[in-house]
């Protein structure tokens, strides 16, 4: 198969497991993000794929070729490092040309290819500068051009945007994505930034403690997290502990503290099941005192405990629903502004949210 | 910070006795004891030697206070004297080359070692020889290099040689011993310089198609060139200025400048003006080398400067 196939990959350092039995498949041209908190094993995975580390077990195939035992320089990969790792003693042109020089590409062809790469990342006119003389964003582009000019079988991005300021990071996200689509090179991105992963990747692999927690398209990861770790790590979620009391006519009733909630029947059925209801802020709305709860709509009442201004939105933490807090957001600059200590009623449709068969995280 | 807060800081600075304005002088203040020491005990004696080197030698150990170039002329026109200088510089060059060749891999391994405690132990081992006197270390090499010493015994046992090699009291033995004695200096200077080269740079080169050694040549070596220059200068200067090792290991087979100067100025002859002149010839050569090294580093300047 073309693309990247990783199976049963394991690695430990001095007895501490960094990656355990990791499976990962990226079809040719796909953009996969390894997402997780620091220390989750995502960088180790990248280094194993690149060949900088030797796996304890497992198999790595790039375009069908087993690369176990191949040193990094025979794996035909392009890497963009978090630090960019530009050669400080080489000019922009020489940096980008390096991979071609090593591949013994003839000079006229080399010059054309380097010029094309420079064009692609819009660095025209900076060819003779040294890395020190460039801004962070420009250095990033050089690193990118250097990695893609060799047309590798696989592109690896190690937190490529984390050293850029917020505005530039947003621009570069789109640019990286466009470039990757344009070139069609299979790409693995390592990031701790969920927005980066969701906005850039076709497929997100959420990792924790060396293991894959969930693999899926960005919207799957967001809307139907497989477990509480994913639910808590991706986006801001309200986690309500519930116990199913009855299931009839497609409506599931579940106890959440002293409140009875309704869930869409497709999600859970067996009475007595304990678990957690994961709600996204955008599922919820503020309702008036006279709006009743129905089988289709849950309404809970609580106390605004904390209000945080986020610019476009204002985020509220509401207590009083079981032991858990409900987090929801309202447009920040129009409409009602809730005061801390105010009583509010919050509603969400029964088919909103997703159910995780686990107790609240400890 | 608001304007008034800034003002307050400035005013407080003024009240504290103009701390800000005095700062430029602090480095001088901090260095003054050392500078005074150097002035009195290094620059002073050097100047005295410089003056002596223009005096005229009076047989018997006296000096005539005058200004003549006799001593320099004597040194620079006599083939024997120039031969001593040439042997000294050659020994320095060989020792420096050997220490670069041996020191670079050691320093690289130390710099890239992941296990910090192992690195600390190895680093300490490197420093141990420096804690003993150079005379002791040179004596150790005399034992090692002797015809029935461990080196020859081992080579004979391995049937690499059939007759013991003449190492003790030869220029080759001197170069071996001096290289070993000075190697720690090279490694100590190179290790932090290599450490300062981000490992990611090597990994980047590897990902782009360079093998380990190629990546080292293309990335690490150009970036550590200043350190390599500094280490080489230090080892070279220590080598051509060394006294004990050539005297003990080289015996009478190796006459280097420091031994020759000692003979002429303090040994049999007590010719201070000639000894002084030779000292200055050696000093000027060292200074020229340092200048050359600085000039070579100048070429690196362009990429080190910010926009």
């Amino acid at each position: 198969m073309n693309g990247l196939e990783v199976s049963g990959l394991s690695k430990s350092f001095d007895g501490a497991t960094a990656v355990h039995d990791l499976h990962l498949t990226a079809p040719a041209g796909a953009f996969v993000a390894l997402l997780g908190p620091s220390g989750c094993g995502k960088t180790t995975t990248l280094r194993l794929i690149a060949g900088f580390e030797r796996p304890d077990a497992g198999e790595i195939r790039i375009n069908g070729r087993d690369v176990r035992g191949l040193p990094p320089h025979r794996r035909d990969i392009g890497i963009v490092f978090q630090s960019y790792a530009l050669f400080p003693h080489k000019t922009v042109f020489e940096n980008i040309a390096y991979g071609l020089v090593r591949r013994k590409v003839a000079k006229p062809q080399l010059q054309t290819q380097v010029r094309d790469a420079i064009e692609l990342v819009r660095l025209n006119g900076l060819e003779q500068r040294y890395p020190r003389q460039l801004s962070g964003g420009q250095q990033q582009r050089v690193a990118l051009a250097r990695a893609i000019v060799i047309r590798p079988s696989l592109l690896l991005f190690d937190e490529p945007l984390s050293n850029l300021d917020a505005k530039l990071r947003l621009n570069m996200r789109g640019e990286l994505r466009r470039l990757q689509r344009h070139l069609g090179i299979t790409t693995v991105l390592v990031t701790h930034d969920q927005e980066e992963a969701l906005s850039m990747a076709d497929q997100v692999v959420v990792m924790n403690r060396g293991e894959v927690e969930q693999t899926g398209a960005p919207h799957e990861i967001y809307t139907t997290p497989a477990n509480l770790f994913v639910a808590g790590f991706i986006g801001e979620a309200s986690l309500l502990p519930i116990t199913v009391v009855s299931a009839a006519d497609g409506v599931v009733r579940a106890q959440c503290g002293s409140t009875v909630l309704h869930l869409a029947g497709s999600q859970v059925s067996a009475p007595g099941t304990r678990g957690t209801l994961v709600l996204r802020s955008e599922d919820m709305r503020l309702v008036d005192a006279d709006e009743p709860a129905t089988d289709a709509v849950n309404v809970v009442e609580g106390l605004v405990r904390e209000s945080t201004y986020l610019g476009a939105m204002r985020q509220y933490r509401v207590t009083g629903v079981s032991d858990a807090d409900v987090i929801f957001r309202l447009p920040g600059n129009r409409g009602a502004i809730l005061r801390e200590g105010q009583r509010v009623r919050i509603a969400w449709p029964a088919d909103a949210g997703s159910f995780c068969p686990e107790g609240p995280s400890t | 910070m608001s304007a008034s807060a800034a003002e307050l800081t400035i005013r407080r600075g003024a009240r504290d006795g103009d701390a800000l304005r005095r700062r430029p002088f602090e480095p001088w203040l901090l260095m003054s004891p050392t500078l005074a020491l150097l002035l009195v005990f290094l620059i002073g004696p050097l100047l005295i030697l410089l003056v002596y080197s223009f005096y005229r030698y009076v047989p018997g150990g006296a000096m005539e206070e005058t200004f003549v170039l006799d001593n320099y002329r004597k040194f620079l026109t006599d083939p024997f004297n120039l031969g001593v200088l040439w042997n000294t510089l050659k020994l320095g060059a060989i020792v420096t080359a050997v220490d670069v060749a041996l020191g670079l891999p050691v320093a690289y391994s130390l710099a890239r070692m992941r296990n910090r405690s192992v690195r600390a132990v190895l680093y300490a081992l490197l420093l141990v020889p420096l804690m003993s006197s150079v005379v002791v270390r040179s004596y150790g090499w005399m034992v090692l290099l002797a015809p029935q010493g461990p080196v020859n015994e081992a080579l004979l046992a391995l049937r690499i040689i059939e007759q013991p090699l003449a190492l003790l009291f030869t220029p080759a033995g001197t170069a071996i011993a001096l290289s070993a004695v000075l190697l720690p200096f090279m490694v100590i200077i190179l290790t932090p310089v290599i450490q300062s080269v981000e490992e990611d740079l090597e990994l980047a080169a590897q990902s782009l198609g360079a093998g380990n050694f190629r990546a080292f040549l293309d990335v690490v070596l150009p970036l550590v060139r200043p350190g390599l220059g500094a280490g080489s200068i230090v080892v070279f200067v220590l080598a051509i200025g060394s006294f004990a090792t050539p005297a003990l290991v080289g015996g009478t087979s190796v006459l280097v400048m420091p031994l020759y100067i000692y003979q002429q100025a303090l040994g049999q002859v007590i010719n201070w003006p000639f000894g002084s002149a030779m000292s200055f010839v050696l000093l000027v050569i060292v200074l020229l080398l340092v200048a050359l090294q600085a000039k070579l580093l100048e070429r690196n300047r362009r990429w080190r400067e910010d926009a």
Side-chain angles (χ1 to χ4, degrees):
Chain A
M1 188 197 101
N2 277 348
L4 173 71
E5 290 166 282
V6 174
S7 53
L9 195 66
S10 294
K11 176 74 183 174
S12 55
F13 297 103
D14 301 324
T17 304
V19 175
H20 178 67
D21 193 27
L22 182 122
H23 294 261
L24 173 67
T25 313
F31 195 131
V32 177
L34 297 181
L35 174 66
S38 56
C40 74
K42 56 189 193 296
T43 299
T44 304
T45 305
L46 193 88
R47 293 173 62 91
L48 287 165
I49 295 171
F52 299 147
E53 305 283 354
R54 206 184 292 265
D56 299 334
E59 199 176 74
I60 300 167
R61 288 177 175 277
I62 300 173
N63 284 349
R65 187 170 62 131
D66 187 354
V67 296
R68 268 179 313 181
L70 282 186
H73 69 280
R74 298 253 178 78
R75 293 195 177 195
D76 194 27
I77 45 172
I79 308 183
V80 175
F81 291 84
Q82 182 172 12
S83 62
Y84 312 141
L86 299 179
F87 307 131
H89 58 300
K90 292 182 186 291
T91 61
V92 168
F93 188 96
E94 290 165 347
N95 262 281
I96 298 172
Y98 186 78
L100 298 174
V101 172
R102 289 274 62 85
R103 280 165 173 71
K104 304 201 161 49
V105 173
K107 204 169 180 196
Q109 199 193 339
L110 176 143
Q111 286 193 322
T112 318
Q113 279 178 268
V114 173
R115 231 172 269 136
D116 287 351
I118 285 172
E119 191 86 29
L120 212 52
V121 298
R122 292 186 280 114
L123 279 171
N124 312 55
L126 300 177
E127 291 86 345
Q128 295 314 314
R129 297 265 190 101
Y130 287 92
R132 277 266 172 103
Q133 302 164 331
L134 302 176
S135 70
Q138 290 167 336
Q139 292 184 16
Q140 228 272 334
R141 287 162 198 274
V142 177
L144 186 61
R146 188 177 67 176
I148 61 173
V149 76
I150 56 173
R151 295 296 155 115
S153 306
L154 183 67
L155 254 182
L156 303 175
F157 290 148
D158 183 11
E159 304 265 6
L161 305 178
S162 59
N163 285 339
L164 300 177
D165 58 55
K167 185 84 182 164
L168 197 55
R169 200 178 318 168
L170 283 180
N171 291 338
M172 280 307 287
R173 260 188 218 164
E175 206 164 318
L176 278 183
R177 185 73 184 103
R178 271 195 300 282
L179 206 62
Q180 192 270 342
R181 284 230 174 98
H182 172 72
L183 298 169
I185 303 173
T186 316
T187 300
V188 177
L189 164 79
V190 158
T191 182
H192 66 273
D193 183 335
Q194 36 141 334
E195 255 185 63
E196 208 168 287
L198 295 180
S199 64
M200 292 169 75
D202 308 314
Q203 198 190 13
V204 178
V205 177
V206 184
M207 291 184 69
N208 185 34
R209 294 181 188 167
E211 299 195 42
V212 173
E213 297 280 355
Q214 188 175 3
T215 302
H219 74 271
E220 286 170 4
I221 301 276
Y222 186 79
T223 56
T224 51
N227 54 45
L228 282 183
F229 174 81
V230 178
F233 189 73
I234 311 280
E236 195 74 58
S238 304
L239 306 175
L240 303 179
I242 53 173
T243 308
V244 177
V245 281
S246 72
D249 307 327
V251 175
V252 176
R253 287 166 186 280
Q255 193 79 33
C256 173
S258 57
T259 319
V260 174
L261 301 176
H262 297 100
L263 276 69
S266 61
Q267 297 194 28
V268 266
S269 47
T273 311
R274 289 164 169 277
T276 306
L277 180 64
V278 180
L279 284 174
R280 295 295 180 190
S281 135
E282 57 272 23
D283 295 330
M284 292 178 260
R285 64 194 165 92
L286 203 61
V287 291
D288 294 332
D290 54 357
E291 188 165 330
T294 66
D295 280 0
V297 179
N298 293 301
V299 177
V300 296
E301 208 174 281
L303 214 61
V304 176
R305 211 179 61 182
E306 190 185 277
S307 155
T308 313
Y309 184 59
L310 302 173
M313 299 297 247
R314 210 177 267 276
Q315 175 170 300
Y316 300 100
R317 185 179 284 275
V318 175
T319 56
V321 187
S322 174
D323 317 325
D325 288 352
V326 170
I327 292 156
F328 80 110
R329 292 174 175 184
L330 292 175
N333 302 307
R334 281 166 195 274
I337 294 173
L338 307 179
R339 298 179 318 276
E340 291 180 10
Q342 190 178 342
R343 291 204 78 78
V344 291
R345 283 160 65 81
I346 298 162
W348 69 87
D351 59 0
S354 67
F355 177 80
C356 287
E358 285 176 69
S361 55
T362 47
Chain B
M1 191 162 61
S2 68
S4 61
E7 242 172 310
L8 200 72
T9 314
I10 290 167
R11 231 181 277 139
R12 193 187 301 143
R15 203 175 51 220
D16 286 350
D18 262 343
L20 280 175
R21 226 183 294 161
R22 216 173 50 193
R23 181 150 298 158
F25 296 102
E26 265 174 35
W28 295 107
L29 200 69
L30 295 172
M31 289 191 292
S32 56
T34 309
L35 288 176
L37 213 64
L38 285 176
L39 201 67
V40 174
F41 294 106
L42 184 76
I43 308 292
L46 274 178
L47 287 176
I48 294 170
L49 275 187
L50 184 64
V51 172
Y52 281 0
S53 72
F54 295 109
Y55 285 178
R56 184 174 288 138
Y57 170 63
V58 180
M63 294 184 287
E64 185 191 333
E65 292 183 24
T66 169
F67 185 87
V68 290
L69 294 171
D70 291 6
N71 302 305
Y72 289 98
R73 197 174 296 128
K74 178 181 168 191
F75 182 81
L76 295 171
T77 53
D78 182 344
F80 176 80
N81 295 335
L82 289 175
V84 174
L85 179 63
W86 171 245
N87 282 337
T88 309
L89 297 178
K90 199 167 72 178
L91 180 69
I94 290 169
V95 167
T96 306
V98 169
D99 281 354
V100 166
L102 294 179
L104 205 50
V106 173
Y108 180 80
S109 309
L110 280 175
R112 291 289 184 251
M113 195 158 281
R114 278 198 202 163
N115 191 327
R116 286 177 179 213
S117 35
V118 174
R119 185 171 68 200
V121 169
L122 289 174
Y123 216 77
L125 280 177
L126 201 67
L127 296 176
V128 167
L130 298 183
M131 293 170 193
S132 64
S133 145
V134 70
V135 175
V136 175
R137 274 180 286 156
S138 300
Y139 188 74
W141 275 102
M142 290 177 72
V143 175
L144 283 173
L145 297 175
Q148 275 86 46
V151 172
N152 271 316
E153 294 287 328
L155 290 174
L156 284 169
L158 292 169
R159 297 179 187 280
I160 294 170
I161 53 171
E162 284 167 7
Q163 304 261 315
L165 291 175
L167 291 170
L168 188 59
F169 306 135
T170 65
T174 309
I176 292 172
L178 205 50
S179 300
V181 166
L182 298 179
L183 185 60
F185 291 100
M186 182 64 88
V187 177
I188 285 166
I189 292 170
L190 280 181
T191 305
V193 180
I194 295 175
Q195 252 173 324
S196 74
V197 176
E198 247 187 292
E199 200 176 355
D200 277 357
L201 294 181
E202 277 176 84
L203 299 184
Q206 286 175 24
S207 76
L208 292 165
N212 285 332
F213 188 60
R214 191 75 235 183
F216 176 82
L217 286 185
D218 285 352
V219 176
V220 180
L221 207 53
L223 293 176
V224 301
R225 206 174 286 153
L228 217 45
S232 298
I233 286 284
V234 167
V235 167
F236 185 82
V237 168
L238 289 175
I240 64 171
S242 66
F243 184 90
T245 308
L248 291 171
V249 181
T252 51
S253 78
V254 179
L255 184 58
V256 288
M257 288 293 283
L259 294 176
Y260 192 39
I261 292 169
Y262 174 80
Q263 278 179 12
Q264 291 298 313
L266 304 159
Q268 306 99 317
V269 196
I270 318 198
N271 184 345
W272 275 66
F274 187 50
S276 304
M278 285 198 287
S279 303
F280 265 89
V281 170
L282 207 54
L283 184 66
V284 166
I285 288 171
V286 168
L287 291 178
L288 283 176
L289 281 171
V290 172
L292 180 74
Q293 134 99 352
K295 192 82 190 163
L296 287 176
L297 284 185
E298 193 93 331
R299 288 192 310 187
N300 273 342
R301 260 256 184 94
R302 214 157 91 80
W303 58 264
R304 284 177 193 281
E305 273 167 8
D306 293 335

